[in-house]
Amino acid sequence: EQGSGRLWVVAPLCWLTSVVVYLKIFRALKQVVSLKTSEERRLCHTDIHTRHYTLFVSGIPESSRTEEAIAQHFEAQFPGNVLHVTLVKDLTTLFEPHLAEYTKAWRSLKHAEATLEENPQASPPMTRERTCGTKRHAIPWYSEQCAALRALLEQRRESFKEFPALPCCFVTFSSLAAAASAASAAQQSTA
């Protein structure tokens, strides 16, 4: 017995399928490169390169842990080049627990809304306040929780300046030359 001639039909079909798949991948890759290039051009034209001009400064004495004091210090060394100072603050006890609760409630709300949207004829999703608590409609319950936690987070954000600052900050300069000079000066002072 010799092989059937019909088996040769499979090879050109595989080749054709491979060519089509490779062309689709090539087109998608070309589109991604085009999007990346256009975004880089947009950033170059708007001159937004603050990530290149920002330094992380550590070892700040407790008496100088304010945005104004740090800005004055760098402004004295590099006049007209300091754009912004951002203090690093410990939010683990004052902010993050509430943010985690808000995120959990928001996800539960979105899940309940998606469940209702998926099957509008079904009864509305229910939830329990606690493990053995009474059943409630999930969407109003989670909406109330989100609103209350959002108000608490906004209140915490307003009191952000009162949170204790850590001995480090980010300083953004107006030019790469100023940022490089500040980094060089910092390295020389620690050496």
Side-chain angles (χ1 to χ4, degrees):
E1 283 183 35
Q2 291 192 6
S4 171
R6 289 183 283 169
L7 293 177
W8 284 101
V9 174
V10 175
L13 287 176
C14 286
W15 291 338
L16 182 64
T17 304
S18 296
V19 167
V20 169
V21 168
Y22 290 139
L23 285 174
K24 287 188 182 252
I25 290 172
F26 180 73
R27 282 186 189 156
L29 188 60
K30 197 173 174 183
Q31 186 176 10
V32 167
V33 168
S34 169
L35 288 171
K36 180 182 175 194
T37 305
S38 67
E39 183 64 15
E40 286 175 350
R41 271 195 216 117
R42 184 187 70 80
L43 287 175
C44 286
H45 289 300
T46 56
D47 198 31
I48 299 175
H49 294 289
T50 56
R51 68 170 189 243
H52 299 296
Y53 307 157
T54 302
L55 294 180
F56 178 73
V57 179
S58 61
I60 301 170
E62 195 163 340
S63 61
S64 301
R65 291 184 191 168
T66 64
E67 291 177 359
E68 296 80 21
I70 296 167
Q72 285 175 356
H73 171 75
F74 282 102
E75 196 64 41
Q77 293 180 353
F78 310 101
N81 286 314
V82 177
L83 290 180
H84 189 67
V85 175
T86 303
L87 294 173
V88 177
K89 300 199 176 193
D90 184 12
L91 303 177
T92 54
T93 57
L94 300 170
F95 195 78
E96 287 181 8
H98 304 298
L99 183 61
E101 286 180 51
Y102 174 78
T103 304
K104 183 179 175 185
W106 183 82
R107 285 183 180 160
S108 299
L109 173 64
K110 292 302 172 189
H111 177 71
E113 288 173 347
T115 303
L116 185 62
E117 186 177 308
E118 192 176 285
N119 192 357
Q121 286 79 21
S123 61
M126 303 293 279
T127 188
R128 291 189 187 272
E129 188 173 341
R130 287 181 218 85
T131 306
C132 298
T134 59
K135 278 190 169 185
R136 300 175 154 214
H137 290 283
I139 294 175
W141 167 250
Y142 289 126
S143 295
E144 289 171 16
Q145 272 192 326
C146 283
L149 288 168
R150 182 71 183 185
L152 181 63
L153 288 173
E154 290 298 326
Q155 178 187 1
R156 293 284 185 180
R157 188 169 5 150
E158 289 173 6
S159 64
F160 179 76
K161 289 194 183 280
E162 298 166 12
F163 291 178
L166 297 177
C168 51
C169 71
F170 293 95
V171 181
T172 303
F173 292 92
S174 62
S175 70
L176 186 57
S181 297
S184 162
Q187 283 179 344
Q188 289 173 0
S189 70
T190 58

